Amino acid sequence: MNTSAILKALSLDRHPLVDPAGGSDSGWVVSGNPASGQAIASVRLEDRVAYEAAVSNAAERFRSWWRLVPAPKRGEIVRLIGLALRERRDVLGELISLETGKIRAEGIGEIQECIDICDFAVGLSRQLYGMTTHSERPRHRMYEQWHPLGVVGIITPFNFPAAVWAWNAMIAAVCGDTMVWKPSLLTPLTAIAVHETVVSVMRQHDLEGVFELVIGTDEQVGEAMIRDRRLPLISATGSCRMGRHVGQVVASRLGRCLLELGGNNALIVCNDADLDLAVRAVVFGAVGTTGQRCTTTRRLFVQRGVAEEVVSRLCRAYETILPRIGDPLDPRTLMGPMIHAGAVESMMKAIETAKRQGGEVLFGGKRLERPGHFVEPTIIRATASMPIVHEETFAPILYVIEFDDLDNAIAQQNAVEQGLSSAIFTDSLRTAERFLSHAGSDCGIANVNIGTSGAEIGGAFGGEKDTGGGRESGSDAWKAYMRRQTCTINWGEDLPLAQGIEFG
């Protein structure tokens, strides 16, 4: 589909917040197409009044009925949301490609991820288990239960404009929470289209108000959200700088934060690795989404015995990508554009900095002179001590570092401030277990013989250190969206005190 067909198919051409002709005064934000540098449409910015209405509505819906709807019934609504997303999967995926620049397969894959988390949440709605424990007091029963938390604030980034919201929203919904979503102003059209798809289901069942969306600036909406005591949890995905600010403000009101921030992810290739698997994983991890994933492979540690072969294979693989850089909606394209001109400039500065610090560009390193924000994927021979290697540049730059000793490679992998994703390629059981041990990777995600990118929704997603410590999506991440309550019932006729205390 072309741009106008996508907007029409999703009814964005007649949405009250969208101007396909491109309103451009201070009350509008322009959604741009990074592949052409041209505007897609303009979106009207909402203000503090709109934010207040959204939060008040979500809070009222939470108090009056949503928290009291049985969890399996909430799960049934989420199942219907998954079906609605299935019906629009391809066109929503194409909108993501249009607005973010990620290739069509990745755009559609992102909506599939939203569908998958709906399926996960449906099952979860019947598994919000508490724990029964033995009381030390006779004729007493003690147990834990989990209650809905309240209104959840969700702040999402441009690079996964639908999936990150769904990870949070679908789990929060089955937990009995309502929510307010503040999306990135780089991808407002995706947010509106996904929100309208979900709200259409809620309208059919007279359940409006569970999911609220506010398109606004950080000053008007973001700051209000993180300071709002009516929002007991703020889930924020973005940069480490943003996360520090959000964390400090929310902590000052003793609220909860679920932070998923940056990742300077490393992949280790050992001498005994299956190089066919390793090279494929590195290429997708470093080039996929044009290096604009939080799980992008940014540092490659290669054991000296296979280093030259790995570098040679990578350069040959990158050569095959160059002619397939272009329009992300073209199914032949393997790499789309950067999100905007500023991102390209940041990449070029990082490459120049790496060269000044002793790095050698082995492949790429240039912007492509064509409309849009296109660059060459870049490989740089580096050392672990180079300061630029310790920084996360949100771009397709891969630093290749040779090593001899595995323990030293793991220590160098762990030496950066972020701790999101990591991987090792080896055919040695001992090496793999060393990497996964207490003395191994310090990241929230540690993989063996698969890359750093492409996490499944069944596992809790997130990382340590400056990555923020939050966990979203699968496993027991649902506990972040609920409040724990310890309950004790005395079914006897006496009132014994704990710890054997006698009183009176």
Side-chain angles (χ1 to χ4, degrees):
M1 290 187 186
N2 59 29
T3 299
S4 60
I6 291 172
L7 297 180
K8 184 175 181 180
L10 294 168
S11 302
L12 293 175
D13 57 334
R14 55 182 185 274
H15 192 279
L17 291 179
V18 178
D19 180 5
S24 58
D25 62 31
S26 60
W28 296 80
V29 62
V30 176
S31 171
N33 179 347
S36 67
Q38 302 299 311
I40 302 170
S42 292
V43 175
R44 187 188 305 279
L45 290 170
E46 296 179 285
D47 58 14
R48 193 69 64 89
V49 173
Y51 168 78
E52 179 61 34
V55 174
S56 297
N57 196 38
E60 192 279 327
R61 295 295 188 271
F62 172 77
R63 286 191 302 269
S64 61
W65 45 264
W66 184 245
R67 62 179 172 174
L68 297 175
V69 173
K73 297 293 186 182
R74 299 192 295 255
E76 171 62 12
I77 295 299
V78 168
R79 185 186 71 83
L80 297 175
I81 289 171
L83 292 176
L85 290 169
R86 275 185 174 88
E87 292 176 0
R88 288 183 158 190
R89 188 194 69 162
D90 287 5
V91 67
L92 284 169
E94 289 182 349
L95 177 61
I96 290 174
S97 295
L98 187 68
E99 202 169 30
T100 68
K102 64 172 65 174
I103 62 174
R104 185 175 184 272
E106 289 191 79
I108 292 174
E110 180 170 345
I111 298 302
Q112 184 61 51
E113 195 166 354
C114 298
I115 295 165
D116 292 344
I117 199 66
C118 287
D119 290 346
F120 180 90
V122 172
L124 178 65
S125 70
R126 294 181 182 270
Q127 300 177 77
L128 300 174
Y129 300 135
M131 179 179 68
T132 299
T133 188
H134 288 271
S135 173
E136 67 182 69
R137 291 170 283 186
R139 294 179 175 82
H140 283 61
R141 181 165 68 88
M142 186 163 63
Y143 67 97
E144 290 181 350
Q145 63 180 349
W146 295 84
H147 292 298
L149 188 60
V151 184
V152 175
I154 304 174
I155 300 171
T156 58
F158 79 86
N159 59 331
F160 280 86
V164 169
W165 173 80
W167 289 351
N168 287 275
M170 297 303 107
I171 302 299
V174 298
C175 288
D177 301 326
T178 57
M179 63 220 72
V180 177
W181 179 15
K182 181 195 177 300
S184 167
L185 294 185
L186 296 174
T187 52
L189 294 174
T190 297
I192 292 171
V194 170
H195 178 73
E196 288 300 322
T197 302
V198 171
V199 169
S200 68
V201 174
M202 306 307 283
R203 289 191 190 110
Q204 292 171 21
H205 295 84
D206 196 25
L207 293 172
E208 291 179 86
V210 174
F211 303 96
E212 293 286 345
L213 171 70
V214 185
I215 308 287
T217 64
D218 291 344
E219 294 75 18
Q220 284 290 311
V221 175
E223 288 297 323
M225 179 180 285
I226 64 178
R227 298 175 191 279
D228 196 334
R229 295 182 65 87
R230 293 170 297 178
L231 276 56
L233 172 66
I234 298 292
S235 177
T237 303
S239 70
C240 296
R241 179 191 58 80
M242 179 272 283
R244 287 191 186 93
H245 175 64
V246 171
Q248 289 171 5
V249 172
V250 176
S252 72
R253 61 176 175 87
L254 300 182
R256 294 189 198 177
C257 263
L258 195 165
L259 299 176
E260 201 285 287
L261 310 174
N264 193 351
N265 313 293
L267 188 152
I268 298 172
V269 178
C270 298
N271 285 336
D272 62 353
D274 181 329
L275 297 189
D276 290 337
L277 282 181
V279 169
R280 287 166 56 195
V282 172
V283 172
F284 176 73
V287 174
T289 323
T290 319
Q292 298 172 118
R293 284 182 181 231
C294 53
T295 54
T296 290
T297 306
R298 308 199 183 280
R299 296 174 295 143
L300 175 63
F301 292 93
V302 189
Q303 202 158 17
R304 206 168 302 278
V306 294
E308 287 306 314
E309 182 177 357
V310 168
V311 168
S312 177
R313 288 193 185 200
L314 285 173
C315 289
R316 290 199 301 271
Y318 274 44
E319 283 283 0
T320 67
I321 290 172
L322 282 182
R324 299 177 69 178
I325 297 173
D327 179 3
L329 288 173
D330 185 335
R332 296 168 296 181
T333 297
L334 290 178
M335 184 175 127
M338 302 286 285
I339 187 64
H340 49 51
V344 175
E345 193 59 37
S346 293
M347 177 179 175
M348 295 302 114
K349 288 181 178 177
I351 292 169
E352 291 304 312
T353 299
K355 290 193 287 188
R356 286 197 304 272
Q357 294 176 0
E360 177 190 1
V361 176
L362 303 177
F363 190 93
K366 303 183 184 68
R367 70 183 82 207
L368 297 178
E369 299 302 327
R370 63 172 79 166
H373 311 304
F374 292 95
V375 298
E376 294 177 335
T378 300
I379 302 172
I380 298 177
R381 193 189 302 276
T383 63
S385 61
M386 289 167 53
I388 190 67
V389 173
H390 289 248
E391 298 179 16
E392 181 193 23
T393 303
F394 219 56
I397 300 175
L398 178 68
Y399 298 108
V400 179
I401 302 160
E402 295 184 13
F403 75 93
D404 293 303
D405 177 69
L406 175 64
D407 286 344
N408 182 253
I410 293 174
Q412 290 175 340
Q413 173 205 282
N414 294 344
V416 298
E417 293 179 344
Q418 303 89 348
L420 179 53
S421 187
S422 59
I424 193 168
F425 278 76
T426 178
D427 278 348
S428 165
L429 175 64
R430 287 179 175 174
T431 298
E433 291 293 342
R434 173 71 175 170
F435 180 75
L436 298 175
S437 75
H438 301 326
S441 171
D442 67 356
C443 296
I445 298 169
N447 296 329
V448 175
N449 292 334
I450 60 172
T452 64
S453 197
E456 297 182 36
I457 57 94
F461 182 88
E464 301 304 321
K465 302 185 294 188
D466 276 11
T467 301
R471 293 297 186 275
E472 300 168 322
S473 191
S475 185
D476 65 347
W478 61 270
K479 293 179 179 179
Y481 307 91
M482 303 195 81
R483 58 181 177 90
R484 186 197 308 249
Q485 186 177 75
T486 300
C487 305
T488 307
I489 301 171
N490 178 3
W491 55 276
E493 296 177 354
D494 296 321
L495 192 66
L497 301 178
Q499 293 83 50
I501 294 173
E502 297 288 342
F503 186 79

